[in-house]
Amino acid sequence: MSQLPLRAQLASALGRTAATLSRATGRGDGSVIGGRVGLMLEPDLLRKLATDRKLALVSATNGKTTTTRLIASALMELGEVATNAFGANMPAGHVSALSGAKHAPFAVLEVDEKYLPEVLDTTNAGIVSLMNLSRDQMDRAAEIWLLAQKWRRALAGKPAHVIANCDDPLVTWGASTAARVTWVSGGQRWREDSWCCPECGGPLDRGGSREMGQQGSVHWACRECTFHRPEPDWVLDGEDVIDPHGRRWRLDLQLPGEANRSNAAIALATVDAFGLDPARALPRLRTVTSVAGRYTTVERDGRALRLLLAKNPAGWLEAFEVSDPRLPIILSVNAQGPDGRDTSWLWDVDYRILRGRPVYVTGERRLDLALRLDVAGIPFQLCDSFDQAVAALPLGRIDVIANYTAFQQIRTEFGRAV
Amino acid sequence: MQSELSIVWIYPDLLSTYGDQGNALVLEQRARARGVPTRIHHVRSSDPVPQQGDIYLIGGGEDRPQILGAERLRKDGGLQSAIARGAAMLAVCAGYQIMGSVFGGEEGQPVPGLELLDISSSRGERRAVGELAAEVDPALRLPTLTGFENHMGVTRLGPGVRPLSRTIVGTGNGDGTEGCVAGKIIGTYLHGPALARNPALADLLLSWAIGPLPPVNDEWYQRLRDERLSAVLGDQA
């Protein structure tokens, strides 16, 4: 770190200058441009910045940013931590995060699923944490079975210690070529992408079905080959996590919902690989209240709006689980580049759970969502803008679910102070 | 049709990557709006395909599930019997390719299809991703086709099928046409909720199964169509 070669030191410094300029001119948080400048001057910068640190990479379809935050918060117990807290999860963002904390002995990087093989090759990270894989922005993202296959190839023959959710068959398959895996039973809420065996294509028998007897709802096994769920070392059990020594830890997170308890289970297993015991990690996990605006409550004109991000069908399922069924709800959907320009995924979400709640629909693709709700038989009110939706609502608490750019637009309305 | 309209959704566990459930839900809603009791049968790839369905749906998917799906359907034979009996079908994207004589596997290798449509498909040079708009064969008397495509396939139509439409925007089959129609089978590259964007196409399938249909309230369908077509075609719309 402090021993960076001169060229890398210069590249790192110029990158930070570019980041500062970007922030000063109001163009962004600077984490992408800074990294790009650094990589242009020294293509090997990421490798050099990663050397001599204890580094964890975190990847999944959903929960990357939150889990990265949970791990980073816990690791601060051990010392300074470099992390890409702004969700800039490609190599430029990684360079920026690492050069921003040059002397930090620990690092946690959120990594885009597609970039995981490249970033693992470059950084030689010692720890890789993998949570879930599901359909997401198919117009520009890789097909997920191919993605898992690339993970397998990238992990084979490397010394990395993988922490993986064994309740997700595709993640299990993607992780199982690693030299060492700690399996975490973190649950799987969205199952529509894992009815078939990733190894042979045969049908997967899932827990609760006749074939599985009483082995619990998370168990799975292929009916045609030997591929099956590994025995977990860590288990998320309701509000608790059970560690490999059989100790039971009550999570008591401030972040809501089962998905975040699952993220916390992965975080506890990950920091354990850093040598940090749950007894010291948990109090720090409990300090995390919102991550990049997610789960934050904002106030407007006597209304308290809680902001939930949902980028894909699995994410909507998680958001519905967190959402309070007694409250009115605003749904906002866009289809800009980062959202995926194809709105087909709306038809994969089961909106019938909203029946009986006042539903307000907005966002740039509100008509796609309106028809979707109409076909589901869910009454709704169409609003031309977020403001109009808020104004139409009674005073009090309201839940808001939005996809990526719709969420950012709402955050911007509140000055990103959330 | 017997006592209720039977919609058979083939292999949602393998081929439902792009909101394919939407086509089933739209057919169900529009049949019920006409007072026709309707049931959607989800047929997983480990189960036999029932032969007595009225409308069969097969959707889009990744390369490997597409190959698996084709193998299982060939072995099963239920879909072939249903089509021979005169059932209607909408085949989308990967499912559309499976209906032909051959399609391209993950390395471009030829994989045999079901030969229910006189088409053959292969992998093209680049991925076609984006909004599509096309003028439907005038004989079908349907308004402009609108939807979203995302595929690498190139499909050649044989003399046994007619193009469903001619593209205005988008790639479709790759030769200026999009989709095909033969008997009561429609094939298209438009993603899962194609029928949500084209309710008249949904009604065509329904009318093949249950006869002439009274009109229904199309407000939300029409508003979405108008918005999409004007976004894609601008002044041409």
Side-chain angles (χ1 to χ4, degrees):
Chain A
M1 295 164 286
S2 52
Q3 300 306 312
L4 277 184
L6 195 58
R7 186 187 175 83
Q9 281 188 39
L10 181 70
S12 176
L14 282 171
R16 285 199 305 278
T17 307
T20 309
L21 281 171
S22 166
R23 277 191 296 273
T25 54
R27 286 166 188 271
D29 65 50
S31 46
V32 173
I33 183 68
R36 279 200 190 139
V37 167
L39 281 171
M40 214 182 298
L41 295 167
E42 170 53 287
D44 209 24
L45 188 54
L46 182 54
R47 183 189 311 278
K48 289 180 168 138
L49 284 166
T51 307
D52 296 335
R53 302 197 210 229
K54 189 142 188 192
L55 169 64
L57 307 180
V58 179
S59 200
T61 302
N62 288 326
K64 292 185 286 286
T65 306
T66 302
T67 307
T68 299
R69 168 69 72 83
L70 290 171
I71 295 168
S73 302
L75 287 180
M76 282 190 249
E77 186 74 12
L78 298 177
E80 194 189 347
V81 183
T83 186
N84 49 344
F86 296 107
N89 61 16
M90 293 182 235
H94 302 145
V95 161
S96 187
L98 295 180
S99 55
K102 277 198 301 183
H103 302 287
F106 306 103
V108 192
L109 297 177
E110 170 189 339
V111 185
D112 180 279
E113 308 88 279
K114 298 181 291 302
Y115 281 84
L116 184 67
E118 176 189 331
V119 174
L120 181 62
D121 280 344
T122 307
T123 60
N124 275 313
I127 297 171
V128 179
S129 302
L130 306 171
M131 288 96 72
N132 54 72
L133 280 174
S134 67
R135 60 188 71 180
D136 182 37
Q137 299 163 34
M138 304 286 303
D139 63 316
R140 63 189 182 86
E143 300 183 337
I144 53 175
W145 181 82
L146 281 177
L147 208 56
Q149 191 176 46
K150 285 175 184 161
W151 285 8
R152 282 171 75 77
R153 289 178 183 154
L155 289 166
K158 292 206 181 58
H161 177 184
V162 174
I163 317 293
N165 180 7
C166 62
D167 294 342
D168 186 319
L170 202 51
V171 166
T172 302
W173 189 69
S176 55
T177 54
R180 182 173 172 208
V181 188
T182 295
W183 298 110
V184 180
S185 171
Q188 189 192 32
R189 290 148 296 279
W190 171 262
R191 294 187 169 181
E192 300 309 314
D193 293 308
S194 39
W195 293 113
C196 290
C197 175
E199 180 69 31
C200 77
L204 285 184
D205 288 321
R206 308 296 306 244
S209 63
R210 221 178 22 256
E211 295 80 358
M212 304 307 302
Q214 297 301 314
Q215 295 182 51
S217 64
V218 287
H219 202 85
W220 53 264
C222 179
R223 202 181 295 170
E224 288 174 6
C225 77
T226 59
F227 189 61
H228 63 279
R229 174 175 174 267
E231 270 309 303
D233 304 289
W234 296 71
V235 175
L236 173 67
D237 181 24
E239 305 285 324
D240 300 341
V241 167
I242 304 166
D243 73 14
H245 310 290
R247 296 178 299 177
R248 183 176 278 273
W249 304 91
R250 175 56 52 107
L251 286 170
D252 276 336
L253 301 177
Q254 293 201 56
L255 292 177
E258 191 193 339
N260 282 320
R261 291 194 286 279
S262 176
N263 293 336
I266 290 278
L268 286 176
T270 303
V271 301
D272 185 72
F274 280 79
L276 181 63
D277 192 76
R280 292 172 69 197
L282 259 176
R284 288 190 176 260
L285 298 193
R286 294 179 186 133
T287 63
V288 178
T289 53
S290 81
V291 178
R294 295 150 209 197
Y295 317 108
T296 301
T297 297
V298 295
E299 302 279 339
R300 173 161 292 182
D301 306 329
R303 294 156 184 99
L305 302 135
R306 183 168 57 155
L307 307 184
L308 303 171
L309 174 71
K311 297 187 280 196
N312 47 44
W316 279 79
L317 205 60
E318 290 170 4
F320 288 149
E321 198 254 326
V322 166
S323 179
D324 185 338
R326 293 163 301 180
L327 300 184
I329 190 160
I330 300 176
L331 309 177
S332 183
V333 169
N334 286 357
Q336 296 184 19
D339 306 308
R341 296 192 181 279
D342 181 10
T343 56
S344 295
W345 59 269
L346 289 170
W347 295 87
D348 289 327
V349 179
D350 190 352
Y351 289 97
R352 288 175 300 179
I353 194 168
L354 298 177
R355 192 161 286 153
R357 293 175 71 171
V359 177
Y360 296 77
V361 171
T362 186
E364 292 161 8
R365 296 299 289 269
R366 55 190 175 277
L367 289 177
D368 294 72
L369 183 53
L371 175 63
R372 175 69 189 91
L373 293 173
D374 180 59
V375 170
I378 303 298
F380 60 90
Q381 189 171 329
L382 189 73
C383 303
D384 292 339
S385 68
F386 181 72
D387 275 343
Q388 198 190 84
V390 174
L393 279 156
L395 303 186
R397 289 165 58 213
I398 296 157
D399 276 343
V400 179
I401 304 181
N403 71 342
Y404 191 73
T405 66
F407 188 87
Q408 301 308 337
Q409 285 167 356
I410 293 166
R411 273 184 85 199
T412 304
E413 290 217 6
F414 292 91
R416 289 207 169 224
V418 297
Chain B
M1 198 185 96
Q2 296 172 343
S3 59
E4 62 181 9
L5 180 73
S6 158
I7 297 169
V8 180
W9 182 16
I10 295 174
Y11 297 174
D13 54 337
L14 285 177
L15 299 167
S16 78
T17 307
Y18 301 98
D20 293 283
Q21 176 175 228
N23 290 331
L25 296 176
V26 166
L27 287 171
E28 180 189 41
Q29 185 212 32
R30 299 181 71 81
R32 286 188 177 158
R34 271 87 175 210
V36 177
T38 301
R39 179 183 296 210
I40 301 172
H41 302 268
H42 294 209
V43 180
R44 294 236 181 112
S45 58
S46 49
D47 298 331
V49 177
Q51 300 179 15
Q52 299 306 316
D54 298 302
I55 303 177
Y56 288 75
L57 300 173
I58 185 167
E62 304 184 0
D63 292 331
R64 213 172 65 134
Q66 182 185 21
I67 296 169
L68 281 169
E71 276 171 10
R72 289 180 190 171
L73 284 171
R74 266 203 319 275
K75 255 185 237 164
D76 179 86
L79 176 62
Q80 295 87 324
S81 306
I83 298 297
R85 196 179 46 74
M89 173 158 209
L90 175 70
V92 167
C93 204
Y96 170 40
Q97 296 184 342
I98 288 175
M99 293 305 117
S101 56
V102 67
F103 60 90
E106 67 257 64
E107 310 290 342
Q109 79 276 21
V111 180
L114 301 187
E115 299 189 353
L116 292 174
L117 286 173
D118 180 15
I119 59 169
S120 63
S121 304
S122 55
R123 282 173 86 88
E125 297 286 305
R126 60 186 183 82
R127 206 163 183 89
V129 185
E131 291 278 340
L132 183 145
E135 290 303 344
V136 181
D137 180 344
L140 294 172
R141 293 195 294 273
L142 297 178
T144 308
L145 200 64
T146 163
F148 198 93
E149 62 178 335
N150 180 0
H151 61 97
M152 278 190 78
V154 174
T155 295
R156 285 166 299 281
L157 307 189
V161 299
R162 283 177 296 136
L164 174 64
S165 61
R166 306 214 159 266
T167 54
I168 310 165
V169 172
T171 302
N173 296 325
D175 62 353
T177 68
E178 147 51 29
C180 78
V181 55
K184 292 182 187 172
I185 309 179
I186 292 173
T188 177
Y189 273 111
L190 294 181
H191 267 186
L195 298 183
R197 297 267 289 263
N198 302 282
L201 194 61
D203 285 356
L204 179 65
L205 286 161
L206 288 172
S207 69
W208 284 345
I210 59 185
L213 304 167
V216 288
N217 179 356
D218 269 340
E219 180 196 353
W220 294 109
Y221 288 96
Q222 203 53 50
R223 286 179 73 172
L224 177 60
R225 277 182 65 79
D226 290 349
E227 183 218 66
R228 286 292 91 207
L229 283 169
S230 72
V232 174
L233 298 176
D235 296 339
Q236 298 176 63

